[in-house]
Amino acid sequence: MIKEFHILYQYRDIQQAAATTDIKTLEQVLVKFKKVVAERRAEYYAEIGEEAARQLKMKQILEQMKKDRVCVEDLLLDPHKLFSDLA
């Protein structure tokens, strides 16, 4: 709800500024705005892709641990146990 109110408030500010600005300046602002939107969209999709890759890698690691009969729950409860068993 707060985000929606903030967006509406910004929209009103933009409308007021646009009413007193010439068309050439508005077109320049629009070009810059489209560029920023495209950059942010690309960043967003890159983050989603990175997150998906991390999730896939984590899934593969967990599957390998399962095959090796490593109990993740035991490691979470006592992470030092793994190293003490090796010594």
Side-chain angles (χ1 to χ4, degrees):
M1 179 69 178
I2 293 174
K3 271 187 171 182
E4 292 171 359
F5 178 75
H6 184 68
I7 290 171
L8 288 175
Y9 183 76
Q10 286 180 327
Y11 181 73
R12 288 184 192 148
D13 284 348
I14 292 169
Q15 279 183 320
Q16 290 172 355
T20 59
T21 307
D22 64 297
I23 193 75
K24 186 176 180 177
T25 304
L26 289 174
E27 287 174 349
Q28 290 173 349
V29 169
L30 180 61
V31 168
K32 290 178 183 178
F33 181 74
K34 286 181 178 181
K35 183 178 178 182
V36 169
V37 168
E39 289 172 359
R40 292 208 178 153
R41 184 174 289 133
E43 290 173 5
Y44 174 73
Y45 286 129
E47 287 176 12
I48 289 175
E50 290 171 4
E51 180 62 26
R54 278 193 294 272
Q55 291 292 331
L56 179 62
K57 187 165 185 146
M58 182 58 72
K59 185 178 178 182
Q60 291 170 345
I61 290 170
L62 289 172
E63 287 174 2
Q64 185 62 45
M65 289 174 72
K66 194 174 185 179
K67 287 179 186 176
D68 292 342
R69 296 184 180 185
V70 175
C71 182
V72 177
E73 290 81 14
D74 288 346
L75 290 176
L76 292 174
L77 292 175
D78 189 11
H80 301 289
K81 180 182 177 188
L82 177 66
F83 297 109
S84 65
D85 289 347
L86 295 175

